[in-house]
Amino acid sequence: MPELPEVETIKRDLEKVIVGKKITGVCVYNPKIIREPGLAAFKKGLAGAVIKKILRRAKVLILELSSGESLVAHLKMTGQLVYPGGGKNSRVAFHLSDGKILDFNDQRLFAELRLLKDWRSLKFIQGLGPEPADLNLRQFKEMLDSRKTAIKPLLMDQEFISGIGNIYAAEILFRAKIHPERRASKLRDKEKELLFKAINDILNAAILHAGSSVDDYVRVSGEKGGYVKYHKVYGRQGKSCLVCKTTIKKISQGGRGTHFCPRCQR
DNA sequence: AATGGGACCTGCGCGC
DNA sequence: TGCGCGCAGGTCCCAT
Protein backbone atom coordinates (compact mmCIF):
# COMPACT_ATOMS: atom_id res chain seq x y z
CA MET A 1 0.00 0.00 0.00
CA PRO A 2 2.46 2.58 0.96
CA GLU A 3 3.62 3.97 -2.36
CA LEU A 4 5.68 7.07 -2.97
CA PRO A 5 3.09 9.57 -1.65
CA GLU A 6 2.44 7.58 1.52
CA VAL A 7 6.13 7.05 2.27
CA GLU A 8 6.83 10.71 1.54
CA THR A 9 4.04 11.67 3.96
CA ILE A 10 5.52 9.44 6.66
CA LYS A 11 8.94 10.95 6.00
CA ARG A 12 7.61 14.47 6.47
CA ASP A 13 5.63 13.46 9.55
CA LEU A 14 8.69 11.82 11.11
CA GLU A 15 10.86 14.86 10.42
CA LYS A 16 8.60 16.90 12.64
CA VAL A 17 8.56 14.55 15.60
CA ILE A 18 11.66 12.37 15.90
CA VAL A 19 14.64 14.13 14.33
CA GLY A 20 17.17 15.06 17.01
CA LYS A 21 15.92 12.43 19.43
CA LYS A 22 18.00 9.57 20.69
CA ILE A 23 17.05 5.93 20.48
CA THR A 24 17.51 4.70 24.03
CA GLY A 25 16.54 1.10 23.40
CA VAL A 26 14.78 -1.25 21.01
CA CYS A 27 12.23 -3.97 21.80
CA VAL A 28 11.85 -6.53 19.03
CA TYR A 29 8.59 -8.45 19.35
CA ASN A 30 8.98 -10.19 16.00
CA PRO A 31 12.55 -10.77 14.83
CA LYS A 32 11.43 -11.73 11.32
CA ILE A 33 11.20 -8.02 10.50
CA ILE A 34 14.92 -7.52 11.16
CA ARG A 35 16.71 -8.56 7.96
CA GLU A 36 20.20 -7.45 8.84
CA PRO A 37 22.39 -7.54 10.81
CA GLY A 38 21.55 -10.15 13.49
CA LEU A 39 19.14 -9.28 16.24
CA ALA A 40 21.77 -8.52 18.87
CA ALA A 41 23.85 -6.34 16.54
CA PHE A 42 20.71 -4.54 15.39
CA LYS A 43 19.72 -3.61 18.94
CA LYS A 44 23.26 -2.75 20.01
CA GLY A 45 23.86 -0.63 16.91
CA LEU A 46 20.74 1.44 17.51
CA ALA A 47 21.00 2.00 21.25
CA GLY A 48 22.33 5.46 21.95
CA ALA A 49 22.12 6.67 18.34
CA VAL A 50 20.55 10.04 17.57
CA ILE A 51 18.23 10.31 14.56
CA LYS A 52 19.90 12.96 12.42
CA LYS A 53 18.06 12.98 9.14
CA ILE A 54 15.22 11.23 7.34
CA LEU A 55 15.32 10.41 3.65
CA ARG A 56 13.06 8.67 1.18
CA ARG A 57 14.11 6.75 -1.91
CA ALA A 58 11.25 5.19 -3.89
CA LYS A 59 9.09 3.46 -1.24
CA VAL A 60 11.98 3.12 1.18
CA LEU A 61 12.52 5.22 4.31
CA ILE A 62 16.02 5.89 5.56
CA LEU A 63 16.80 7.18 9.05
CA GLU A 64 20.36 8.45 9.17
CA LEU A 65 21.90 8.12 12.61
CA SER A 66 24.65 9.88 14.53
CA SER A 67 26.61 6.62 14.50
CA GLY A 68 27.05 6.93 10.74
CA GLU A 69 24.76 3.98 10.17
CA SER A 70 21.26 4.12 8.73
CA LEU A 71 18.03 2.42 9.68
CA VAL A 72 16.38 1.38 6.43
CA ALA A 73 12.67 0.61 6.49
CA HIS A 74 10.53 -0.89 3.75
CA LEU A 75 6.88 -0.99 4.80
CA LYS A 76 5.85 -3.32 1.95
CA MET A 77 2.08 -3.59 2.21
CA THR A 78 1.00 -3.31 5.80
CA GLY A 79 3.88 -1.65 7.60
CA GLN A 80 3.19 1.38 9.76
CA LEU A 81 5.30 3.79 11.78
CA VAL A 82 3.34 5.28 14.67
CA TYR A 83 4.40 7.92 17.20
CA PRO A 84 3.75 8.20 19.99
CA GLY A 85 3.23 4.47 20.04
CA GLY A 86 3.12 1.71 22.60
CA GLY A 87 0.30 -0.18 20.94
CA LYS A 88 -0.09 -3.90 21.27
CA ASN A 89 0.29 -4.58 17.52
CA SER A 90 3.87 -3.40 17.60
CA ARG A 91 6.48 -5.64 15.95
CA VAL A 92 9.40 -3.43 16.91
CA ALA A 93 9.35 -0.60 19.46
CA PHE A 94 11.95 2.14 19.40
CA HIS A 95 12.22 3.82 22.79
CA LEU A 96 13.22 7.46 22.41
CA SER A 97 14.93 9.98 24.64
CA ASP A 98 11.65 11.88 25.15
CA GLY A 99 10.24 8.85 26.96
CA LYS A 100 7.90 8.04 24.08
CA ILE A 101 7.88 5.10 21.72
CA LEU A 102 8.06 4.90 17.94
CA ASP A 103 6.15 1.77 16.96
CA PHE A 104 6.86 -0.27 13.86
CA ASN A 105 3.68 -2.21 13.11
CA ASP A 106 3.18 -4.75 10.35
CA GLN A 107 0.23 -7.08 10.22
CA ARG A 108 1.56 -9.32 7.48
CA LEU A 109 5.24 -9.48 8.35
CA PHE A 110 6.41 -8.59 4.86
CA ALA A 111 8.06 -5.38 5.99
CA GLU A 112 11.82 -5.16 6.39
CA LEU A 113 14.15 -3.29 8.70
CA ARG A 114 17.88 -3.07 8.19
CA LEU A 115 20.69 -1.34 9.98
CA LEU A 116 23.36 -0.55 7.40
CA LYS A 117 26.63 1.31 7.10
CA ASP A 118 25.85 2.33 3.53
CA TRP A 119 22.19 2.21 2.51
CA ARG A 120 22.99 3.32 -1.02
CA SER A 121 24.83 0.09 -1.75
CA LEU A 122 21.82 -2.06 -0.87
CA LYS A 123 21.00 -4.20 -3.90
CA PHE A 124 17.38 -3.11 -4.03
CA ILE A 125 18.36 0.56 -3.90
CA GLN A 126 21.00 0.08 -6.60
CA GLY A 127 18.43 -1.45 -8.90
CA LEU A 128 15.89 1.34 -8.58
CA GLY A 129 14.86 3.40 -11.55
CA PRO A 130 14.70 7.19 -11.34
CA GLU A 131 12.47 9.11 -8.98
CA PRO A 132 9.56 10.54 -10.98
CA ALA A 133 10.45 14.06 -9.85
CA ASP A 134 13.99 13.70 -11.20
CA LEU A 135 12.90 12.86 -14.74
CA ASN A 136 12.35 15.20 -17.62
CA LEU A 137 10.01 14.58 -20.51
CA ARG A 138 12.74 13.77 -23.01
CA GLN A 139 14.26 11.11 -20.78
CA PHE A 140 10.86 9.64 -20.01
CA LYS A 141 9.98 9.33 -23.69
CA GLU A 142 13.25 7.57 -24.39
CA MET A 143 12.64 5.12 -21.57
CA LEU A 144 9.24 4.24 -23.00
CA ASP A 145 10.48 3.85 -26.54
CA SER A 146 12.57 0.76 -25.83
CA ARG A 147 9.82 -1.10 -23.97
CA LYS A 148 7.30 -3.34 -25.64
CA THR A 149 5.53 -4.28 -22.43
CA ALA A 150 2.11 -3.14 -21.20
CA ILE A 151 2.26 0.33 -19.72
CA LYS A 152 0.57 -0.39 -16.40
CA PRO A 153 2.91 -3.08 -15.08
CA LEU A 154 5.79 -1.01 -16.47
CA LEU A 155 4.80 1.98 -14.33
CA MET A 156 4.89 -0.34 -11.32
CA ASP A 157 8.29 -1.74 -12.25
CA GLN A 158 10.65 -0.20 -9.69
CA GLU A 159 13.62 -0.69 -12.00
CA PHE A 160 11.88 1.36 -14.67
CA ILE A 161 10.61 4.20 -12.52
CA SER A 162 10.55 4.11 -8.75
CA GLY A 163 7.79 4.79 -6.27
CA ILE A 164 4.63 3.98 -8.21
CA GLY A 165 2.47 1.07 -7.03
CA ASN A 166 -0.90 -0.33 -7.92
CA ILE A 167 -3.10 2.52 -6.75
CA TYR A 168 -1.23 5.34 -8.42
CA ALA A 169 -0.50 3.40 -11.61
CA ALA A 170 -4.26 3.13 -12.07
CA GLU A 171 -4.98 6.75 -11.19
CA ILE A 172 -2.15 8.04 -13.38
CA LEU A 173 -3.36 6.11 -16.43
CA PHE A 174 -6.89 7.36 -15.91
CA ARG A 175 -5.65 10.94 -15.76
CA ALA A 176 -3.64 10.38 -18.94
CA LYS A 177 -6.62 8.59 -20.61
CA ILE A 178 -4.42 5.63 -21.51
CA HIS A 179 -5.62 2.02 -21.47
CA PRO A 180 -3.49 -0.05 -19.04
CA GLU A 181 -2.78 -2.75 -21.65
CA ARG A 182 -1.33 -0.39 -24.23
CA ARG A 183 2.27 -1.19 -25.16
CA ALA A 184 4.67 1.43 -23.84
CA SER A 185 6.60 1.96 -27.07
CA LYS A 186 3.39 2.30 -29.08
CA LEU A 187 2.09 5.30 -27.18
CA ARG A 188 1.75 8.40 -29.31
CA ASP A 189 3.99 11.34 -28.55
CA LYS A 190 1.11 13.32 -27.15
CA GLU A 191 0.16 10.41 -24.89
CA LYS A 192 3.68 10.17 -23.52
CA GLU A 193 3.49 13.83 -22.61
CA LEU A 194 0.11 13.39 -20.97
CA LEU A 195 1.44 10.40 -19.06
CA PHE A 196 4.52 12.25 -17.86
CA LYS A 197 2.39 15.11 -16.63
CA ALA A 198 -0.12 12.74 -15.02
CA ILE A 199 2.62 10.96 -13.06
CA ASN A 200 3.79 14.18 -11.49
CA ASP A 201 0.33 15.68 -11.02
CA ILE A 202 -1.17 12.60 -9.37
CA LEU A 203 1.79 11.92 -7.09
CA ASN A 204 1.95 15.55 -6.01
CA ALA A 205 -1.78 15.73 -5.37
CA ALA A 206 -1.62 12.54 -3.34
CA ILE A 207 1.25 13.92 -1.25
CA LEU A 208 -0.74 17.11 -0.71
CA HIS A 209 -3.56 15.01 0.75
CA ALA A 210 -1.18 12.85 2.82
CA GLY A 211 -1.67 9.68 0.77
CA SER A 212 -4.39 7.08 0.32
CA SER A 213 -5.63 5.15 3.35
CA VAL A 214 -6.80 1.92 1.81
CA ASP A 215 -6.38 -0.99 4.21
CA ASP A 216 -3.61 -0.33 6.71
CA TYR A 217 -1.87 2.88 5.73
CA VAL A 218 -1.93 5.60 8.36
CA ARG A 219 0.20 8.65 9.02
CA VAL A 220 2.68 8.70 11.88
CA SER A 221 0.01 10.30 14.07
CA GLY A 222 -2.38 7.42 13.31
CA GLU A 223 -4.58 9.71 11.19
CA LYS A 224 -5.70 8.54 7.78
CA GLY A 225 -4.51 10.03 4.53
CA GLY A 226 -7.16 11.93 2.60
CA TYR A 227 -6.56 11.01 -1.03
CA VAL A 228 -8.97 8.09 -1.36
CA LYS A 229 -11.86 10.42 -1.97
CA TYR A 230 -10.07 11.66 -5.08
CA HIS A 231 -9.60 8.17 -6.55
CA LYS A 232 -11.24 7.95 -9.94
CA VAL A 233 -10.71 4.25 -10.68
CA TYR A 234 -8.85 2.39 -7.95
CA GLY A 235 -11.33 0.39 -5.89
CA ARG A 236 -14.24 1.73 -7.97
CA GLN A 237 -14.88 -1.37 -10.09
CA GLY A 238 -18.59 -1.80 -10.80
CA LYS A 239 -19.26 1.87 -10.09
CA SER A 240 -19.85 4.43 -12.79
CA CYS A 241 -17.05 6.57 -14.18
CA LEU A 242 -17.10 10.04 -12.67
CA VAL A 243 -16.40 11.48 -16.12
CA CYS A 244 -18.47 9.42 -18.57
CA LYS A 245 -20.71 7.16 -16.42
CA THR A 246 -19.35 3.98 -18.01
CA THR A 247 -18.89 1.13 -15.52
CA ILE A 248 -15.33 0.98 -14.16
CA LYS A 249 -13.72 -2.37 -14.97
CA LYS A 250 -11.25 -4.44 -13.04
CA ILE A 251 -8.98 -6.85 -14.88
CA SER A 252 -5.95 -8.88 -13.88
CA GLN A 253 -2.55 -7.83 -15.18
CA GLY A 254 0.60 -9.59 -14.08
CA GLY A 255 -1.33 -11.17 -11.22
CA ARG A 256 -2.51 -7.82 -9.92
CA GLY A 257 -5.79 -5.97 -10.13
CA THR A 258 -6.02 -3.18 -12.69
CA HIS A 259 -8.87 -0.68 -12.44
CA PHE A 260 -9.78 1.48 -15.41
CA CYS A 261 -12.55 3.13 -17.39
CA PRO A 262 -12.94 1.31 -20.72
CA ARG A 263 -14.38 4.41 -22.35
CA CYS A 264 -12.12 7.18 -21.05
CA GLN A 265 -8.95 5.10 -21.40
CA ARG A 266 -8.09 3.95 -24.92
C1' DA B 1 13.18 -9.13 -22.68
C1' DA B 2 8.88 -10.37 -21.23
C1' DT B 3 5.51 -12.98 -18.91
C1' DG B 4 3.39 -16.00 -15.61
C1' DG B 5 3.46 -18.23 -11.82
C1' DG B 6 4.40 -19.05 -6.66
C1' DA B 7 6.28 -17.59 -2.31
C1' DC B 8 6.16 -14.70 1.71
C1' DC B 9 1.89 -13.47 5.54
C1' DT B 10 -2.51 -12.16 7.80
C1' DG B 11 -7.20 -10.61 8.11
C1' DC B 12 -11.14 -9.56 5.74
C1' DG B 13 -15.36 -10.41 3.14
C1' DC B 14 -17.73 -13.56 0.56
C1' DG B 15 -20.70 -17.68 -0.42
C1' DC B 16 -22.66 -21.67 1.33
C1' DT C 1 -23.29 -18.85 13.17
C1' DG C 2 -19.29 -21.00 11.23
C1' DC C 3 -16.32 -22.57 7.95
C1' DG C 4 -13.32 -22.47 3.93
C1' DC C 5 -11.94 -19.93 0.31
C1' DG C 6 -10.13 -16.14 -2.52
C1' DC C 7 -8.24 -11.87 -2.38
C1' DA C 8 -5.36 -7.86 -1.20
C1' DG C 9 -0.58 -5.93 -3.02
C1' DG C 10 5.51 -5.08 -2.76
C1' DT C 11 9.12 -7.67 -3.93
C1' DC C 12 11.86 -11.73 -4.93
C1' DC C 13 12.65 -15.86 -7.37
C1' DC C 14 12.00 -19.48 -10.68
C1' DA C 15 10.42 -21.27 -15.13
C1' DT C 16 9.29 -20.68 -19.79
Side-chain angles (χ1 to χ4, degrees), chain A residues 55-73:
Chain A
L55 310 171
R56 177 191 62 76
R57 176 75 173 96
K59 304 170 189 173
V60 181
L61 271 175
I62 302 111
L63 279 63
E64 289 188 343
L65 307 170
S66 56
S67 60
E69 294 195 299
S70 297
L71 179 62
V72 177

Side-chain angles (χ1 to χ4, degrees), chain A residues 133-252:
Chain A
D134 292 343
L135 275 176
N136 65 41
L137 178 59
R138 186 186 52 78
Q139 294 169 319
F140 183 63
K141 282 181 180 172
E142 268 176 34
M143 285 160 57
L144 290 173
D145 286 339
S146 61
R147 299 298 210 111
K148 296 187 197 310
T149 189
I151 187 63
K152 196 262 189 171
L154 186 61
L155 289 178
M156 294 172 62
D157 179 349
Q158 300 302 297
E159 299 192 12
F160 177 74
I161 187 170
S162 61
I164 300 171
N166 209 34
I167 296 172
Y168 296 107
E171 295 299 319
I172 286 163
L173 288 171
F174 179 82
R175 172 73 67 94
K177 302 187 193 305
I178 295 169
H179 192 289
E181 291 176 307
R182 292 278 302 281
R183 302 285 127 177
S185 59
K186 297 264 182 77
L187 294 176
R188 286 181 282 275
D189 214 51
K190 183 70 191 164
E191 291 174 320
K192 290 173 187 166
E193 284 174 35
L194 276 170
L195 182 56
F196 180 74
K197 192 169 183 323
I199 289 170
N200 289 294
D201 288 353
I202 293 284
L203 295 178
N204 288 333
I207 291 170
L208 195 65
H209 292 278
S212 301
S213 281
V214 299
D215 295 339
D216 286 29
Y217 164 72
V218 289
R219 305 180 62 170
V220 170
S221 62
E223 288 172 283
K224 293 187 174 194
Y227 196 67
V228 173
K229 62 174 179 284
Y230 299 98
H231 289 183
K232 302 286 194 289
V233 286
Y234 185 85
R236 298 197 67 252
Q237 65 273 22
K239 296 182 180 167
S240 79
C241 175
L242 298 166
V243 170
C244 76
K245 308 276 191 277
T246 301
T247 303
I248 300 297
K249 271 184 80 173
K250 183 179 179 187
I251 59 172
S252 177

Side-chain angles (χ1 to χ4, degrees), chain A residues 29-186:
Chain A
Y29 301 109
N30 195 313
K32 192 178 181 303
I33 306 278
I34 315 300
R35 302 306 172 107
E36 61 181 304
L39 188 53
F42 181 82
K43 287 194 203 179
K44 190 154 178 270
L46 283 168
V50 176
I51 299 156
K52 301 294 278 187
K53 194 174 179 188
I54 308 195
L55 310 171
R56 177 191 62 76
R57 176 75 173 96
K59 304 170 189 173
V60 181
L61 271 175
I62 302 111
L63 279 63
E64 289 188 343
L65 307 170
S66 56
S67 60
E69 294 195 299
S70 297
L71 179 62
V72 177
H74 198 312
L75 303 174
K76 295 288 179 83
M77 282 173 295
T78 54
Q80 301 174 330
L81 278 161
V82 175
Y83 172 94
K88 60 176 189 280
N89 296 324
S90 178
R91 303 295 193 182
V92 180
F94 300 93
H95 292 257
L96 304 182
S97 48
D98 60 4
K100 295 176 182 164
I101 293 171
L102 174 66
D103 267 335
F104 189 87
N105 303 329
D106 180 32
Q107 178 196 114
R108 292 173 69 178
L109 298 173
F110 287 172
E112 302 178 355
L113 285 175
R114 290 183 168 80
L115 182 63
L116 298 172
K117 296 222 172 2
D118 177 18
W119 64 269
R120 288 167 215 273
S121 64
L122 191 64
K123 192 179 154 207
F124 175 76
I125 297 282
Q126 290 276 314
L128 286 171
E131 289 283 322
D134 292 343
L135 275 176
N136 65 41
L137 178 59
R138 186 186 52 78
Q139 294 169 319
F140 183 63
K141 282 181 180 172
E142 268 176 34
M143 285 160 57
L144 290 173
D145 286 339
S146 61
R147 299 298 210 111
K148 296 187 197 310
T149 189
I151 187 63
K152 196 262 189 171
L154 186 61
L155 289 178
M156 294 172 62
D157 179 349
Q158 300 302 297
E159 299 192 12
F160 177 74
I161 187 170
S162 61
I164 300 171
N166 209 34
I167 296 172
Y168 296 107
E171 295 299 319
I172 286 163
L173 288 171
F174 179 82
R175 172 73 67 94
K177 302 187 193 305
I178 295 169
H179 192 289
E181 291 176 307
R182 292 278 302 281
R183 302 285 127 177
S185 59
K186 297 264 182 77

